[in-house]
Amino acid sequence: MKLTPKTLALLVLAVLLGLGTLIEPSSLSGGDLPVVEGVAREEVTRLEITAGQVQKVVIEGAWDDGYDVRQPYEGPADFMSLRPLLNAFVDDTPMDLAVDEGSLEDYGVDDQKGILVELFTSGDSPALSLVIGYDVPGGSSFVRLKDSDVVYRAKVGGRARYEHDPSHWRDRMVADWDPDRMVSLSIESLEGRIRVERDVSGLEPGPWIAIGGPPGLELDDKALDALVSTLSVLRAGRLLSADYDADWTEDAVRVVMVDADGIEHELLFGGEVFDGAAYVKTPGRDEVFQVASMDRQRARRSWTSLQDLTVFDYPRGTLASARLEDDGTPVTIVQTPEGLWEVADPPNVDADVKQIFLSVNSLATLRGHDRLDEGDFSRITTRITFTTLDGETQSVEFGVPYQDAQGRTFYPTRVPGRSEVFAYRDSSVSHLRKGFGRGR
């Protein structure tokens, strides 16, 4: 095989990287290896990350108050990205090996390929200065001290932690609000307009109350709490320019939450959804944020999706036994005095303890996916009866499965003695049955 110049260069680099993992420090230095002293993250007031000769990012601020990007643009810095970088240098960073002296470009620590990381605490001199090069198998990287030609090997978290386009350091938090202080939530979409309110003046937030909803609607407080929590803390995976058109009119979803201080927090999801991504804007920020399409799906709600669909709501760990009856042999599982689970009937049957735990926990907090009419339940196909540690007995019955307009399969579900009939996904029923050793 004929080696091209490019192939030969890559082969030489691979050999050098391999030798870098084998050369002992004594071959380059007879003294102790240097140690880069740690810098307390709370004391860092300035960071400079320089890649090559032209790309330099300057970030200033404080750990408690937050950081701002000062160069090459101005704006809030992304604390989630900064945190692992600052944490990496809290402790001293010892050099593991002295690999070479000179030939800096072979290790990616020269002025063209190296990434210079500097942390400042006060004054114009950095408290830490280190050039990051290529990574080495085993979790280390080639590094060198500034103004030195000696190449070392050290653990600094990998080059990928520092090698980013400058836009990576821009704040990507779309929302970072306190969900427990939200007193109202309104959603406007093609599904209609939803508005709910609650009182948060007590020790615990009060129940959600529908404003203008359908008569007799019972809201699911847990579902609403989860929705508010999700929308209050939202982080983008990517930032786009302010003029990006994600269909902000026809199929947009507008979310407005008001906190206990009367401050409005708004999110506007565009109608465009592409390859698992959705797009959102918020007042006060020029960027368009790319988020998961699931975030938009959660925000686009109807009154029906917020109704109380609770079948059971027992604290986890309170079930003592459960019995499944279907067209096969009935199976009974019981909780042992040690808190584990086993199959009590039929005898001599092995139990998947992990799967039983998952199924029992799901059974204790069972929640339907929709409401059905009473006439939608024709006959019982599966019944699960359980007893709590306090001696209470409950049953849940699943009817004949059906498919909705989207081709999804559901089971009509009811509790004896109650009038409600719920729709329960076939995958969720399968999950419950696995705890009893049923494979479907």
Side-chain angles (χ1 to χ4, degrees):
M1 181 180 70
K2 184 178 180 180
L3 294 178
T4 65
K6 180 179 180 181
T7 303
L8 183 59
L10 292 173
L11 180 60
V12 171
L13 177 59
V15 172
L16 288 172
L17 292 176
L19 289 175
T21 65
L22 300 175
I23 298 175
E24 293 297 326
S26 58
S27 63
L28 294 171
S29 173
D32 294 334
L33 293 170
V35 174
V36 176
E37 292 187 8
V39 181
R41 59 193 185 185
E42 294 82 7
E43 297 179 4
V44 176
T45 59
R46 180 182 176 94
L47 302 86
E48 295 186 5
I49 306 170
T50 307
Q53 297 292 313
V54 294
Q55 182 175 297
K56 183 175 183 177
V57 177
V58 178
I59 301 172
E60 296 179 344
W63 178 267
D64 292 330
D65 299 329
Y67 292 88
D68 294 294
V69 180
R70 299 302 185 190
Q71 182 182 331
Y73 54 84
E74 293 208 1
D78 187 48
F79 186 73
M80 296 288 285
S81 298
L82 286 175
R83 184 166 57 187
L85 189 155
L86 294 173
N87 285 338
F89 296 111
V90 170
D91 298 323
D92 293 347
T93 303
M95 302 296 105
D96 297 334
L97 293 174
V99 177
D100 201 351
E101 187 168 2
S103 302
L104 304 182
E105 64 276 7
D106 293 334
Y107 304 95
V109 293
D110 61 310
D111 291 339
Q112 298 298 324
K113 303 174 184 175
I115 302 174
L116 174 61
V117 179
E118 294 184 303
L119 307 183
F120 298 77
T121 57
S122 61
D124 297 329
S125 298
L128 180 145
S129 183
L130 197 62
V131 179
I132 314 296
Y134 299 135
D135 291 337
V136 181
S140 296
S141 304
F142 292 122
V143 302
R144 71 176 175 90
L145 306 181
K146 188 179 181 181
D147 301 326
S148 170
D149 287 338
V150 179
V151 180
Y152 299 97
R153 200 178 73 185
K155 290 183 173 62
V156 292
R159 183 182 175 97
R161 177 172 289 172
Y162 316 92
E163 188 175 30
H164 296 289
D165 183 88
S167 63
H168 171 82
W169 305 103
R170 186 190 297 270
D171 183 19
R172 281 180 281 159
M173 292 301 296
V174 186
D176 191 11
W177 311 316
D178 185 354
D180 292 334
R181 289 181 52 78
M182 297 302 172
V183 298
S184 73
L185 165 69
S186 65
I187 300 174
E188 295 183 29
S189 70
L190 292 180
E191 301 287 345
R193 186 174 189 272
I194 291 173
R195 180 175 175 81
V196 294
E197 296 180 350
R198 67 176 176 181
D199 181 15
V200 297
S201 60
L203 295 177
E204 297 289 339
W208 290 99
I209 300 173
I211 307 299
L217 177 69
E218 296 181 16
L219 293 175
D220 189 330
D221 283 323
K222 286 190 174 182
L224 276 164
D225 288 345
L227 176 61
V228 170
S229 294
T230 298
L231 297 175
S232 295
V233 182
L234 195 61
R235 178 176 167 81
R238 182 183 171 201
L239 302 179
L240 294 88
S241 62
D243 58 359
Y244 183 84
D245 184 8
D247 182 12
W248 305 109
T249 54
E250 184 177 356
D251 195 19
V253 180
R254 185 181 301 276
V255 177
V256 178
M257 293 184 287
V258 180
D259 65 24
D261 297 322
I263 300 174
E264 283 194 356
H265 305 277
E266 181 178 335
L267 299 170
L268 178 64
F269 291 87
E272 178 182 344
V273 176
F274 177 74
D275 197 21
Y279 306 89
V280 62
K281 297 193 296 187
T282 186
R285 298 287 297 273
D286 293 332
E287 309 96 330
V288 172
F289 301 90
Q290 183 186 81
V291 295
S293 58
M294 183 61 69
D295 294 322
R296 181 183 183 277
Q297 183 176 332
R298 292 191 184 102
R300 184 175 175 173
R301 292 301 188 104
S302 64
W303 282 115
T304 301
S305 70
L306 295 176
Q307 65 183 325
D308 188 7
L309 298 173
T310 302
V311 183
F312 297 124
D313 189 15
Y314 291 92
R316 295 190 177 188
T318 59
L319 270 59
S321 66
R323 180 176 177 83
L324 179 140
E325 300 171 272
D326 56 8
D327 56 359
T329 302
V331 177
T332 301
I333 56 177
V334 297
Q335 184 175 180
T336 69
E338 294 76 26
L340 301 177
W341 284 83
E342 63 183 14
V343 177
D345 185 43
N348 303 318
V349 174
D350 293 332
D352 185 340
V353 177
K354 180 180 179 181
Q355 183 59 54
I356 292 179
F357 268 115
L358 295 174
S359 297
V360 167
N361 286 336
S362 297
L363 183 63
T365 56
L366 201 62
R367 186 178 186 274
H369 295 89
D370 201 354
R371 289 279 188 109
L372 302 175
D373 295 330
E374 290 186 47
D376 292 327
F377 197 105
S378 57
R379 64 181 178 86
I380 301 172
T381 59
T382 300
R383 177 189 290 113
I384 300 177
T385 303
F386 63 86
T387 303
T388 69
L389 294 174
D390 295 332
E392 181 181 354
T393 299
Q394 286 279 13
S395 293
V396 58
E397 298 170 343
F398 300 97
V400 179
Y402 67 94
Q403 289 190 332
D404 68 359
Q406 287 76 44
R408 300 173 299 179
T409 302
F410 290 85
Y411 281 79
T413 306
R414 71 183 183 187
V415 175
R418 290 168 54 179
S419 61
E420 309 102 315
V421 175
F422 303 93
Y424 203 58
R425 287 293 298 270
D426 61 333
S427 58
S428 300
V429 174
S430 176
H431 170 75
L432 290 176
R433 290 171 56 85
K434 286 180 180 178
F436 296 87
R438 294 291 200 259
R440 60 178 177 84

